[in-house]
Every structure is written in structure tokens, then in C-alpha cells.
Amino acid sequence: MLFTKAVSTTSHSQFVNVTALVKEALQESGVESGVATVFVSHTTAGITINENADPDVTRDLLYILDEKIPWNDPEYRHYEGNTAAHMKASMMGNSSQVIIENGQLVLGTWQGIYFCEFDGPRQRKLLIKISA
Ligand code: ZN
């Protein structure tokens, strides 16, 4: 079953915890055992699983990405001017998978699923495929 969820980002670079959206799709699917594939169909946004307890973790991840991948560089050639966002999206990847067991996502206690915005704010789409 395929679900499409809207994600509104509010900053240029931002990690949005989308775990609840994936749980919502899982509940609607009724699947008890399988895999959830979370896919981002954008080239300047990504998806990752990381710590959900201390918000400074995602803040620090954004800091490191900004520090290592400057927005402006005279060597960049991409006409749109957002090469850094494309690079960061590739680093995070465009999909994550989570095991489903007993109708629940099998995530570690401290794990959350994050939509990673690198060229916002924008209206984005998150695709969630629940497979039994
Ligand atoms: Zn571009």
C-alpha cells in the first residue's frame, strides 16, 4: 500500500520528525509484519533515521553539513545555484526502511525518522510504501 503525505518545511535547512506520519500510514495499512519504505521524491531533500531525544543532535547535524558544504563556492556550476542542497540530499539518501513487527515500527528507543530539508521552505511530499 502506498501513502503520500505532505510535509511543509518552514526553514531553508531543517530536519522534520516524520515518524508519526509513518506510524499513521502503518496503522491505515493494517499490516502486522513487513517493511515500511520511506521515500523522498525530491533532489534537494533527503531522509535519515537519527536521535529523537535531544533536538541538538539534528541541530548539530545541520551545523556540520553547512560547515562542510558551503552554499556558495566559485567552483559550483549548477545554474540553479543550489548545488549544496543537492549534495546534502545525496549524503542523507532518498529512502529509509524500517522493519514492521506486530503492527509496529521496529525503531530503537532513541530513533526517529527525519525528513531533511536543504532548500526550503517548501511544500514537500513523502512517499511511504507499506509492504507485508
Ligand atoms: Zn538544483
Side-chain angles (χ1 to χ4, degrees):
M1 231 174 284
L2 180 66
F3 298 85
T4 303
K5 304 283 184 184
V7 177
S8 303
T9 61
T10 55
S11 299
H12 185 262
S13 292
Q14 182 183 11
F15 277 44
V16 181
N17 189 334
V18 292
T19 311
L21 293 179
V22 182
K23 285 182 177 171
E24 198 178 280
L26 173 57
Q27 281 181 348
E28 285 176 47
S29 77
V31 167
E32 285 293 311
S33 178
V35 176
T37 302
V38 186
F39 181 78
V40 173
S41 58
H42 302 285
T43 60
T44 55
I47 194 94
T48 194
I49 295 176
N50 217 304
E51 170 154 340
N52 63 12
D54 179 1
D56 278 342
V57 171
T58 51
R59 179 258 167 222
D60 289 353
L61 293 179
L62 285 173
Y63 165 75
I64 294 164
L65 288 169
D66 283 342
E67 183 79 2
K68 303 299 176 197
I69 306 161
W71 188 256
N72 292 308
D73 184 309
E75 287 299 314
Y76 293 164
R77 294 188 180 177
H78 177 40
Y79 69 93
E80 242 186 339
N82 60 355
T83 291
H86 289 291
M87 184 67 226
K88 292 171 190 174
S90 279
M91 289 174 80
M92 293 299 104
N94 59 19
S95 72
S96 287
Q97 285 196 312
V98 183
I99 294 166
I100 299 162
E101 210 50 70
N102 301 316
Q104 305 291 319
L105 296 176
V106 182
L107 285 168
T109 308
W110 311 115
Q111 286 184 317
I113 307 165
Y114 288 90
F115 182 97
C116 312
E117 175 64 81
F118 296 119
D119 197 10
R122 294 191 195 210
Q123 285 296 323
R124 299 290 202 172
K125 246 182 358 185
L126 185 66
L127 302 179
I128 303 163
K129 178 77 176 178
I130 307 289
S131 307

